[in-house]
Amino acid sequence: MNDLIQNIEKLHTTELGTKRIKNNLSLEIENVVLWCKTKILDSHAVIEKRGKNWYITIEPYEITVNASAYTIITAHKSK
């Protein structure tokens, strides 16, 4: 189990991050953090640490999380 999963309860984002994620993914939900946690914990999610960030790929999405602060930076549809 990786650090991100072990510390999933620390996952959070900023007000700006919430707006960015909702806009990027065309989401009509209130709790963006809960939505991201659900995607990250999905058994099909591929979690990879590169540099200072975690990159979580769960088709058709990619979520970027800061590895030290557990802040969701952004999310977008995979290319």
Side-chain angles (χ1 to χ4, degrees), residues 12-70:
H12 66 280
T13 193
T14 62
E15 188 177 330
L16 193 61
T18 297
K19 289 179 184 174
R20 181 172 38 247
I21 293 162
K22 283 184 173 184
N23 184 48
N24 288 354
L25 301 180
S26 303
L27 294 177
E28 297 289 331
I29 58 167
E30 282 302 309
N31 195 333
V32 170
V33 174
L34 182 60
W35 184 90
C36 288
K37 281 182 184 179
T38 303
K39 296 297 178 191
I40 292 167
L41 293 172
D42 187 291
S43 62
H44 296 98
V46 176
I47 301 171
E48 175 182 14
K49 188 174 180 187
R50 296 193 308 259
K52 63 180 183 174
N53 294 327
W54 290 102
Y55 295 90
I56 303 90
T57 306
I58 176 86
E59 292 300 328
Y61 309 108
E62 183 174 81
I63 302 166
T64 306
V65 176
N66 178 278
S68 59
Y70 300 100

